[in-house]
Amino acid sequence: MIPFFQKIAVSAVAVTASLAFSASAVAQAVKVTAEKPSFDDLPSPTDFGGAKSKAFKPKDWLEVETKLKFQMAPAPKSQTLERMTVKWYIAVKNPEKSGTFLLLTKDIEYVNIALEEDVFSSVYLAPASLKRLTGSDRAGKGSVEYVGFEVLVNGEKLAADTNKGQVGWWNAASDKISRTDTVPLLSKKETPFSVMWWDRYAEEAPVRR
């Protein structure tokens, strides 16, 4: 049996170790370098590696992406950031009312992000969504007005940027921009591009059920 005072000493050591670990975790400063977002039309893929081909006319997707690079000090032995989130904000022209915009949003969580390497985050609009917005199967990027994003680590915003305008326009009160979820933004994993250019993009976190 461990004497009472020895138990206290053991507990104190455990608490001290726990506090030291917490302090070490907090001391790991994370820095991210982020580029301005870019966007373009991207045709539906037609080659699926040996799958039986079927006749169809590829339509356009809208792809939006940004390049990120993470640093940590001190860097962990794994040279990896465990988890981060990118919040996307896209304002597209409202087809029902000229001069107004619909705000589309999407939060994407990533895991196992390599430090000191360029990694990309992307988000997409499907052809059916683009047609609903534009009435056309082509040139979806013409309907996009603003693209912005925020990068969060442990709930703290470390970076944000926009293709034009002021960073944070997505939070500003405006009678010209209204939020909608009728036209969904999709992560790369939710598109037919999910297995393409794998090492270019950060790894999306598994969906929690």
Side-chain angles (χ1 to χ4, degrees), residues 18-164:
S18 176
L19 290 174
F21 176 80
S22 298
S24 175
V26 171
Q28 282 186 309
V30 181
K31 178 183 176 182
V32 56
T33 303
E35 290 193 355
K36 281 188 174 295
S38 61
F39 56 93
D40 205 352
D41 297 321
L42 194 65
S44 292
T46 58
D47 185 359
F48 292 95
K52 182 178 179 180
S53 64
K54 295 187 178 184
F56 73 99
K57 185 177 180 180
K59 297 181 180 180
D60 281 344
W61 292 70
L62 177 75
E63 180 186 65
V64 182
E65 66 176 21
T66 183
K67 183 167 72 174
L68 308 170
K69 181 181 284 188
F70 290 86
Q71 297 171 308
M72 292 180 70
K77 291 182 178 179
S78 67
Q79 293 296 309
T80 300
L81 174 65
E82 181 179 347
R83 190 174 293 267
M84 65 99 173
T85 301
V86 177
K87 293 177 172 284
W88 284 102
Y89 306 92
I90 300 178
V92 297
K93 296 172 184 176
N94 185 350
E96 305 296 330
K97 188 177 180 181
S98 178
T100 65
F101 306 93
L102 301 175
L103 177 58
L104 316 177
T105 64
K106 178 79 169 180
D107 294 359
I108 307 176
E109 193 170 11
Y110 297 94
V111 295
N112 306 325
I113 303 99
L115 301 178
E116 304 289 354
E117 292 184 17
D118 292 338
V119 294
F120 286 77
S121 169
S122 59
V123 72
Y124 300 80
L125 267 173
S129 295
L130 288 172
K131 184 155 190 174
R132 181 171 181 178
L133 289 170
T134 67
S136 171
D137 293 327
R138 298 289 180 185
K141 68 179 182 181
S143 68
V144 177
E145 190 71 18
Y146 297 98
V147 173
F149 68 87
E150 298 173 335
V151 181
L152 285 75
V153 176
N154 296 326
E156 180 183 359
K157 184 170 69 175
L158 299 184
D161 210 340
T162 179
N163 67 318
K164 64 179 183 179

Side-chain angles (χ1 to χ4, degrees), residues 150-182:
E150 298 173 335
V151 181
L152 285 75
V153 176
N154 296 326
E156 180 183 359
K157 184 170 69 175
L158 299 184
D161 210 340
T162 179
N163 67 318
K164 64 179 183 179
Q166 295 288 329
V167 169
W169 57 260
W170 46 89
N171 292 321
S174 173
D175 58 359
K176 293 189 176 182
I177 299 180
S178 56
R179 289 178 181 261
T180 180
D181 57 4
T182 57

Side-chain angles (χ1 to χ4, degrees), residues 189 206-209:
K189 186 187 291 186
V207 177
R208 296 172 182 172
R209 304 252 180 219

